[in-house]
Amino acid sequence: MQLGDHESFFKYFRMSPIVFEKLLQLVAPLIIKSNQKREAISPAERLSVTLRYLATGDSHQTISFSYRLGHSTVNKIVPETCLAIWKALSPIYVQCPSTTNEWEDVSKEFWEKWNFPLCIGALDGKHVRCHCPANTGSLYFNFHGWFSVVLMAVCSAHYSYLLVNIGAIGSSSDGGIFERCGMKDALYNGRLSLPEDCNLPNTNTTCSYVITADDAFPLGRHVMKPYGGRYLEHGKRIFNYRLSRARRVSENTFGISTARWRIFKRPIDAIPERCIGIVKAVVALHNFLMFHESTLPRHERRYCPPGFVDSEDKNADIVPGAWREDVNKDTGYQSLTQTKNGNACKKSAKEIRDIFKNFFNSPAGAVPWQNVYINK
């Protein structure tokens, strides 16, 4: 690989040489080692080894051959550097909005880009495949038939992670994971500094700020999920379509991460603590790279270039993103199951969903193509 060959450099490390240097400046102070006893492996090489491991998903043995390092050395470098990446990047690039104004900016992006008002994120969760941890029985065994830890995240309109909860055991029920994680507690107990309820655009109808989700999560005042059932009335089908447009950003966010960091395409050979550290590193790297690419012209973007995520044609039909060609159903990154909470949600949550449904079917909230799309 030639130093000036940026395309090959990107394929190898998933970033340009300039961005690699920026990353190294942030991480190096946390992984530099003393040279007192013998010459230590440099921070640049430690970072290179770790990025290559995350980008390929190759075994530590294969990485050790590539870099002419001992297997035990690579086995020590990777988890240390993953934790350093998270520690260096997360305070800057994986920080959720902390003020009402910042949440309002997130909401404006969803309205402008995905035509969903008062939306502050798209919620989804994925099972991350790992090898069976010793002496854990079926604790990490999920309904897919393999062992996993869970990454749950709220994603922005521009495919970055806003809130993450990493490390729930694979055997946990889907509603149970959300019920117990700090994310729900923060959402419903005022710890996120969400804006007060306000009017939907161009109306006098007041509604709360919400997160879009699928059937794997319980309906709530701040969590909107689709109407259930096969034979729905037209208005409910319109709501489900509009919800799915906004919710698709989470699927694409996970898709970009999986396509670029192939560590997720096979079981991670590590104990749960190290597996969690690897997932944290990928989340931080994803946001770091998405942020730096947002400053570039579209034609210069490599991590998430034009056409890499799902889009819509002039008829509002979905054009699958290129990441889907690189991620198949056998990847070690699978969706949660549907929850079975039935009608257990509060009446107020159903009323809020009906408010959105009525808005999407009114002149103030309808988009020109929605009836044509639904009638297909």
Side-chain angles (χ1 to χ4, degrees):
M1 179 176 59
Q2 298 296 321
L3 184 62
D5 188 352
H6 286 206
E7 190 63 35
S8 295
F9 193 97
F10 173 81
K11 290 180 179 178
Y12 201 83
F13 291 122
R14 301 297 188 257
M15 62 190 70
S16 68
I18 295 175
V19 176
F20 179 89
E21 289 300 325
K22 290 180 180 178
L23 177 61
L24 181 60
Q25 290 177 9
L26 293 170
V27 177
L30 302 177
I31 57 176
I32 192 168
K33 302 295 181 180
S34 171
N35 288 319
Q36 288 184 349
K37 293 183 178 180
R38 59 181 178 181
E39 185 176 356
I41 299 170
S42 69
E45 188 168 6
R46 289 173 179 273
L47 182 59
S48 298
V49 166
T50 304
L51 291 178
R52 187 59 182 163
Y53 170 71
L54 298 177
T56 62
D58 288 343
S59 67
H60 288 180
Q61 188 71 68
T62 300
I63 298 295
S64 70
F65 289 151
S66 299
Y67 282 85
R68 302 181 69 181
L69 295 170
H71 177 268
S72 61
T73 302
V74 173
N75 195 44
K76 186 176 181 180
I77 286 175
V78 169
E80 286 183 354
T81 309
C82 282
L83 291 178
I85 289 171
W86 173 258
K87 187 175 181 179
L89 299 185
S90 61
I92 307 171
Y93 300 101
V94 200
Q95 284 295 306
C96 76
S98 58
T99 66
T100 56
N101 288 339
E102 290 176 349
W103 282 116
E104 287 171 353
D105 289 341
V106 173
S107 174
K108 289 176 183 177
E109 291 176 347
F110 269 97
W111 174 238
E112 294 170 358
K113 190 172 177 64
W114 300 109
N115 309 111
F116 202 107
L118 307 187
C119 178
I120 54 172
L123 174 65
D124 202 356
K126 296 292 182 182
H127 287 281
V128 180
R129 189 191 296 250
C130 63
H131 286 287
C132 176
N135 304 317
T136 59
S138 60
L139 195 61
Y140 289 86
F141 194 75
N142 63 40
F143 79 100
H144 290 292
W146 35 266
F147 299 88
S148 66
V149 295
V150 176
L151 163 62
M152 191 170 291
V154 174
C155 303
S156 75
H158 297 288
Y159 313 111
S160 62
Y161 296 102
L162 289 175
L163 286 166
V164 293
N165 182 272
I166 304 169
I169 56 178
S171 63
S172 298
S173 65
D174 315 309
I177 294 173
F178 184 66
E179 287 289 334
R180 291 189 297 271
C181 76
M183 192 182 296
K184 182 189 176 184
D185 180 63
L187 184 64
Y188 283 101
N189 292 328
R191 289 167 46 208
L192 292 182
S193 301
L194 296 183
E196 296 292 330
D197 296 0
C198 68
N199 292 342
L200 291 166
N202 306 314
T203 73
N204 293 321
T205 304
T206 302
C207 197
S208 61
Y209 283 80
V210 298
I211 289 171
T212 61
D214 61 15
D215 284 331
F217 300 92
L219 181 68
R221 183 172 183 271
H222 293 296
V223 178
M224 289 292 100
K225 62 183 285 186
Y227 287 99
R230 296 183 60 186
Y231 303 103
L232 297 174
E233 63 179 60
H234 185 79
K236 291 182 178 180
R237 292 171 62 206
I238 291 292
F239 171 85
N240 285 359
Y241 164 64
R242 297 288 294 275
L243 182 80
S244 71
R245 288 188 75 240
R247 186 171 52 80
R248 203 184 310 142
V249 299
S250 60
E251 181 183 3
N252 279 267
T253 303
F254 287 118
I256 298 167
S257 301
T258 309
R260 291 308 189 203
W261 305 104
R262 299 193 177 192
I263 186 66
F264 291 138
K265 299 191 75 174
R266 63 191 72 183
I268 300 176
D269 188 10
I271 60 175
E273 291 77 10
R274 291 190 175 187
C275 186
I276 292 169
I278 288 168
V279 176
K280 285 183 174 180
V282 170
V283 167
L285 287 168
H286 173 86
N287 277 17
F288 170 76
L289 293 169
M290 291 296 288
F291 173 81
H292 283 284
E293 282 213 335
S294 67
T295 64
L296 299 175
R298 286 173 57 83
H299 68 277
E300 293 183 12
R301 299 176 184 178
R302 287 187 173 90
Y303 184 75
C304 186
F308 199 68
V309 295
D310 294 347
S311 58
E312 295 173 334
D313 61 19
K314 62 181 180 181
N315 298 317
D317 290 323
I318 299 172
V319 179
W323 68 263
R324 294 184 181 274
E325 300 174 4
D326 215 22
V327 178
N328 57 44
K329 64 180 181 180
D330 296 321
T331 184
Y333 211 38
Q334 294 290 335
S335 298
L336 303 179
T337 53
Q338 292 186 0
T339 186
K340 296 183 179 179
N341 64 329
N343 295 321
C345 57
K346 294 181 180 180
K347 181 181 178 181
S348 60
K350 292 184 177 181
E351 292 173 347
I352 290 170
R353 182 166 63 178
D354 287 340
I355 289 173
F356 277 105
K357 180 200 70 174
N358 295 334
F359 174 74
F360 291 142
N361 286 276
S362 71
V367 292
W369 64 84
Q370 63 186 29
N371 289 316
V372 176
Y373 187 87
I374 290 300
N375 291 331
K376 289 180 182 179

